[in-house]
DNA sequence: CGTACCATTGATCACTATCAAGCTACGTGG
DNA sequence: CCACGTAGCTTGATAGTGATCAATGGTACG
């Protein structure tokens, strides 16, 4: 791998402030690989051999316990996952699988740890990334702990609508089945929750949702920056 | 504040690897203050002026939304909180209040950010701390998303029993009311959940719990390092 | 054209929250 | 020392929320 192959990766917040040499050192041992959809990349409990960077496609993070399974998050280009496990050299707490055919960069964990010991700019970038991950997880936790299923759904719809341009219309970015798991409910329940929202001007046509009465949805959803904003 | 005043703080993982000068620099502007019980220290949404270190006592982290409230975690000596907000210079996602009378060290956020820019050892220590916080939150989230209330309770009891010496007996470290909120349920429900566990050899006497049949509880609780272990 | 998978709906059940009442322990003030 | 109020815990009754099971219809893909 040469660094020139991946300007988008070089441009990641995480790598932007590194020196060219360090970046080259990291990339030298890295693999860029294309995986088919629905392929298991890592399994929780395994040890962290690589840092993963999603370059194309989409990766689902999920967790299992006692035959149950829950989606913990989605990773889109350009994003990394399992940074914390790599840093701590600790077992993964989550599993990951491709959702679509995906191009993924694998950076040996050893090298990441080595470079972060040597390059304090990289160390600072990691801090920023980890702090973001932490705050994201806190928000997810608040969402689940403080809201009902319908409230979570309404807020998520508002979020999708905003990030898709604020046209009052949105496309569900995943299967309803996946979406349900993300929201911490069953597919049947998601179906009913969408019906519950119809009186609030929410019209569903397959994976297209129209929000005809944003005010009503917001009154129900009560979105707040401290849970629903990606940044802040 | 002089650094010699607080050997325990100096011994924190977070500060251990700093040079004496850097540590002195941090401590110079810091306040060590004693607060009464039930005092609000920070409110979610506020901006991060200080990094907090609990030296004595106990602090509850909690979050609110739409008149609802949930305990997000507890901080015991010697532990820090809201590190991520300080680093990112972002608003708090959680509120904090003292549970008991508590001695707390307040380090100006400005200084923390300054020192972490200058001292790469400190930066690395922050990485380790943040990674721990992140992984802790992932575990909390898995716990809530994958388990029922009784399962969460059973696992928590096993955790308390282990950290209190593994004698088969444990003292509930908080009010049942708080414990319920930590576990994501109502006090009434906690009461009933404890009754549900009686057939599994769980005897409750006020805040003392005896586990007379560890095997039975474990069969129900199915504890796993990937959710229930503090380390790993 | 059939198979497989997803989404929806209905019926039912399990779990959790809410509301109300009563109990106990504790601290205060008479 | 006792009466009282307060707060925390428990229990019962009930309602609400979400999960499970089963059946159906639609759609994509081979």
């Amino acid at each position: 791998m040469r660094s020139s192959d991946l300007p988008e990766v070089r441009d990641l917040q995480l790598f932007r402030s590194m020196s060219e040499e360090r970046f080259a050192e990291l990339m030298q041992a890295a693999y860029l690989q294309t995986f088919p959809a629905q392929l298991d990349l890592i399994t929780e409990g395994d040890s962290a051999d690589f840092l993963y960077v999603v370059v194309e496609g989409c990766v689902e993070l999920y967790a299992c316990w006692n035959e149950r399974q829950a989606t913990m998050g989605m990773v889109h280009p350009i994003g990394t996952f399992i940074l914390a496990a790599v840093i701590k050299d600790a077992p993964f707490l989550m599993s990951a699988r491709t959702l679509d055919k995906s191009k993924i960069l694998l950076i040996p964990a050893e090298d990441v740890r080595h470079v972060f010991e040597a390059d304090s700019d990289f160390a600072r970038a990691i801090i920023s990334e980890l702090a973001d991950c932490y705050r994201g997880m806190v928000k997810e936790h608040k969402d689940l702990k403080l809201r009902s299923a319908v409230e979570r759904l309404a807020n998520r719809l508002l979020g999708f609508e905003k990030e898709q341009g604020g046209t009052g219309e949105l496309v569900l970015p995943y299967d309803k089945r996946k979406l349900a798991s993300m929201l911490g409910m069953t597919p049947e329940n998601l179906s009913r929750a969408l019906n519950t929202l119809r009186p609030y001007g929410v019209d569903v046509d397959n994976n297209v949702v129209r929000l005809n009465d944003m005010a009503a949805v917001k009154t129900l959803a009560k979105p707040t920056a401290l849970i629903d904003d990606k940044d802040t």
Side-chain angles (χ1 to χ4, degrees), chain A:
Chain A
M1 275 261 354
R2 270 176 311 169
S3 55
S4 58
D5 293 348
L6 287 172
E8 316 94 309
V9 175
R10 182 73 173 108
D11 206 41
L12 256 187
Q13 197 66 260
L14 190 58
F15 300 120
R16 199 177 298 170
S17 59
M18 312 179 68
S19 68
E20 197 60 50
E21 298 86 40
R22 298 289 187 198
F23 186 67
E25 183 182 341
L26 261 191
M27 291 305 114
Q28 184 202 357
Y31 307 83
L32 183 63
Q33 211 167 332
T34 301
F35 297 96
Q38 298 301 330
L39 189 94
D40 269 298
L41 298 169
I42 62 176
T43 304
E44 56 180 304
D46 286 359
S47 62
D49 294 328
F50 297 94
L51 174 64
Y52 288 73
V53 183
V54 180
V55 177
E56 272 180 39
C58 180
V59 170
E60 176 193 7
L61 301 177
Y62 65 100
C64 303
W65 180 79
N66 195 26
E67 312 297 299
R68 282 165 244 176
Q69 198 177 90
T71 299
M72 299 286 286
M74 298 292 184
V75 189
H76 294 273
I78 309 281
T80 69
F81 56 98
I82 56 151
L83 178 58
V86 168
I87 293 297
K88 302 289 296 187
D89 198 8
F92 301 134
L93 298 179
M94 300 186 274
S95 303
R97 65 166 79 96
T98 56
L99 277 191
D100 312 320
K101 181 168 175 246
S102 299
K103 199 188 284 186
I104 291 173
L105 182 68
L106 296 92
I107 309 174
E110 195 62 42
D111 294 290
V112 176
R113 285 192 292 267
H114 176 253
V115 171
F116 115 82
E117 289 291 345
D119 184 334
S120 57
D121 283 327
F122 186 48
R124 275 184 276 278
I126 288 180
I127 287 179
S128 184
E129 176 89 4
L130 276 179
D132 285 338
C133 289
Y134 172 70
R135 287 170 64 86
M137 191 55 67
V138 170
K139 288 174 189 171
E140 284 281 328
H141 199 58
K142 286 171 68 175
D143 189 47
L144 187 61
K145 206 160 181 180
L146 289 166
R147 288 170 169 167
S148 72
V150 173
E151 288 164 346
R152 292 198 297 277
L153 172 61
N155 277 293
R156 202 63 66 115
L157 292 179
L158 288 172
F160 289 148
E161 191 268 350
K162 188 190 276 185
E163 73 186 19
Q164 288 174 26
T167 61
E169 194 165 280
L170 63 103
V171 179
L172 299 177
Y174 316 105
D175 280 359
K176 285 183 179 161
R177 167 170 296 276
K178 280 275 166 272
L179 188 59
S181 183
M182 288 176 62
L183 292 167
M185 52 176 140
T186 58
E188 295 95 327
N189 229 322
L190 172 58
S191 207
R192 291 179 178 117
L194 283 168
N195 287 335
T196 307
L197 290 178
R198 204 190 320 252
Y200 298 82
V202 177
D203 278 357
V204 182
D205 176 23
N206 288 314
N207 65 340
V208 177
V209 179
R210 262 213 72 78
L211 306 181
N212 296 300
D213 188 350
M214 295 284 287
V217 177
K218 280 182 180 165
T219 302
L220 169 73
K222 295 184 177 54
T224 161
L226 300 180
I227 299 181
D228 306 291
D229 275 19
K230 303 249 162 170
D231 29 321
T232 77

